[in-house]
Amino acid sequence: MENIDWKNLPFGYFKTDYNVRCYWKGGKWGELEISSSEYVSMHMAATCLHYGQEAFEGMKAFMGKDGKIRVFRWEENAKRMRRSAHGIMMAEVSDELFFQAITTVIKMNKKYVPPYGTGAALYIRPLLLGSGPQVGVKPAMEYLFMIFVGPVGPYFKGGFSPVNIQLVRDYDRAAPQGTGHIKVGGNYAASLRPADRAKEEGHASVLFLDAKENKYIDEAGPANFFGIKGNTYVTPASDTILPSITNMSLQVLALDMGMEVEVRQVTIEELADFDEVGACGTAAIISPIKKIEDRETGRVYEYCKDGKAGSVSTRLYNKLRAIQYAEEEDPYGWNLVVE
Ligand SMILES: *Cc1c(COP(=O)(O)O)cnc(C)c1O
């Protein structure tokens, strides 16, 4: 613990002292428990192991400029986890339980919240699992809600830097009318193969198209996609996209900066018309994209020709970051101070 190199931490698992757990049995949630074990003991017929009854969340706590710890928009994560639970028939976690769990796990692991100025944050990973046994395809009768945390370094070690991504047509992340709009593990399993191939081929991530028509931009791997065209922030509307809380927040900031916001279908051809494009999510806020390569046609779309992120993306990124670290006011009430 003594000498954590905060600035160079990867985005990865980091053992901390405690995690919190709550069990749903007999139709209700029990008391929140604090655990120091990294392991979960589970029935071998648990539905999360067989039938994918599993959902998760990802959020961060930040040490602010004023020395206070803040969590960003936790109610949105709580709401989204309920939508995920509803979508795959799991017990739903109330705001009250979610709040108690995040505040407890943060307080118990206070010493792992990276100091202000390092660019690092405490990553918070809530999990909801079908833990009760079933062999027939049915929802479990028991659930486990747990949260672990761990410090993660700044996403961009050498500053805010643009990445290359690969547009793929031979893999889909999620099916229309399927589970793309909820944060369930199965969607991620489906994305591992194309993501691995893209990395082998020199790209940071994959850009998926809509699975039905293969015509519209869907998601950029585990992040939402957006483009800037003149004074407009454009982001795809699709039932298979996971509604990103970062994306929602960037849209609010864009509007407040006097920009227009369009949430609509975005065709592949339109990639040629954007001044800036990026991927957004909790991990990086914004990953500016410098090049999109269509793997099948070989067509290349280039941005950030000077090697730097675009000015609008940079402004949006700096603004959101400043609110999270309490360098600027939070007029939206997005931050919860954990005392
Ligand atoms: C979690 C996630 C995102 C990002 O959402 P944030 O709330 O901004 O972190 C985007 N796409 C997918 C598929 C995700 O699972």
Side-chain angles (χ1 to χ4, degrees):
M1 165 66 214
E2 297 73 41
N3 295 306
I4 300 178
D5 184 5
W6 304 106
K7 288 187 176 152
N8 292 304
L9 283 172
F11 183 81
Y13 181 75
F14 191 109
K15 186 180 188 308
T16 59
D17 298 341
Y18 302 103
N19 55 82
V20 293
R21 306 172 181 209
C22 192
Y23 296 89
W24 191 88
K25 272 185 199 147
K28 62 179 199 316
W29 289 105
E31 289 296 311
L32 189 73
E33 299 171 13
I34 294 167
S35 169
S36 53
S37 168
E38 291 175 276
Y39 294 90
V40 175
S41 172
M42 196 180 291
H43 196 290
M44 64 186 174
T47 60
C48 66
L49 301 175
H50 297 250
Y51 300 130
Q53 261 200 316
E54 186 278 341
F56 67 100
E57 276 301 324
M59 49 206 292
K60 280 179 175 174
F62 304 87
M63 182 63 79
K65 200 176 178 186
D66 56 0
K68 290 184 181 159
I69 301 169
R70 287 175 177 77
V71 189
F72 188 70
R73 303 196 78 173
W74 71 271
E75 291 110 321
E76 291 297 331
N77 293 90
K79 208 193 297 173
R80 191 167 68 187
M81 186 168 245
R82 277 196 296 277
R83 282 203 299 269
S84 298
H86 180 82
I88 57 172
M89 294 195 73
M90 298 195 289
E92 296 178 24
V93 175
S94 66
D95 273 352
E96 292 71 26
L97 175 56
F98 199 92
F99 176 87
Q100 189 198 357
I102 52 168
T103 50
T104 305
V105 75
I106 293 167
K107 285 181 201 166
M108 298 294 296
N109 293 289
K110 223 172 178 171
K111 65 182 188 206
Y112 295 100
V113 181
Y116 173 71
T118 56
L122 187 74
Y123 186 71
I124 304 167
R125 171 51 62 90
L127 281 173
L128 181 59
L129 310 171
S131 53
Q134 291 288 9
V135 173
V137 182
K138 281 190 288 266
M141 301 294 282
E142 291 175 14
Y143 292 86
L144 165 59
F145 168 54
M146 62 184 298
I147 307 185
F148 66 82
V149 296
V152 293
Y155 199 84
F156 299 105
K157 309 261 180 316
F160 187 49
S161 54
V163 298
N164 293 336
I165 65 169
Q166 183 180 58
L167 186 154
V168 297
R169 296 166 187 262
D170 56 341
Y171 281 99
D172 294 315
R173 190 190 74 92
Q177 306 186 74
T179 55
H181 63 293
I182 54 178
K183 208 168 177 77
V184 299
N187 296 337
Y188 275 75
S191 74
L192 293 175
R193 226 353 113 199
D196 182 67
R197 185 182 66 185
K199 289 205 176 97
E200 297 246 302
E201 295 176 357
H203 301 268
S205 182
V206 171
L207 188 59
F208 290 105
L209 299 177
D210 78 284
K212 190 171 179 188
E213 297 187 75
N214 249 247
K215 248 168 57 181
Y216 303 103
I217 305 302
D218 219 74
E219 285 213 70
N224 277 188
F225 177 88
F226 71 91
I228 307 292
K229 198 192 279 189
N231 195 39
T232 308
Y233 179 102
V234 184
T235 191
S238 155
D239 293 340
T240 49
I241 291 179
L242 191 277
S244 152
I245 296 161
T246 312
N247 193 358
M248 281 169 39
S249 310
L250 292 172
Q251 289 172 40
V252 171
L253 297 179
L255 285 171
D256 278 4
M257 284 177 183
M259 297 180 69
E260 308 272 318
V261 171
E262 293 178 3
V263 184
R264 57 166 171 82
Q265 287 184 315
V266 176
T267 62
I268 302 168
E269 291 70 42
E270 202 179 342
L271 290 176
D273 305 337
F274 289 117
D275 306 320
E276 302 175 25
V277 297
C280 61
T282 295
I285 302 184
I286 288 176
S287 283
I289 295 168
K290 97 176 147 223
K291 196 168 93 177
I292 300 173
E293 194 174 324
D294 186 326
R295 191 175 185 276
E296 204 167 287
T297 66
R299 179 150 185 207
V300 170
Y301 304 85
E302 286 191 87
Y303 312 89
C304 325
K305 297 228 171 85
D306 59 356
K308 287 193 300 214
S311 61
V312 177
S313 303
T314 305
R315 244 192 317 149
L316 288 168
Y317 170 83
N318 286 337
K319 181 78 190 174
L320 189 55
R321 210 189 143 279
I323 292 174
Q324 291 176 332
Y325 285 105
E327 290 165 0
E328 284 187 31
E329 233 158 277
D330 170 22
Y332 316 103
W334 286 341
N335 292 320
L336 164 78
V337 173
V338 180
E339 319 251 28

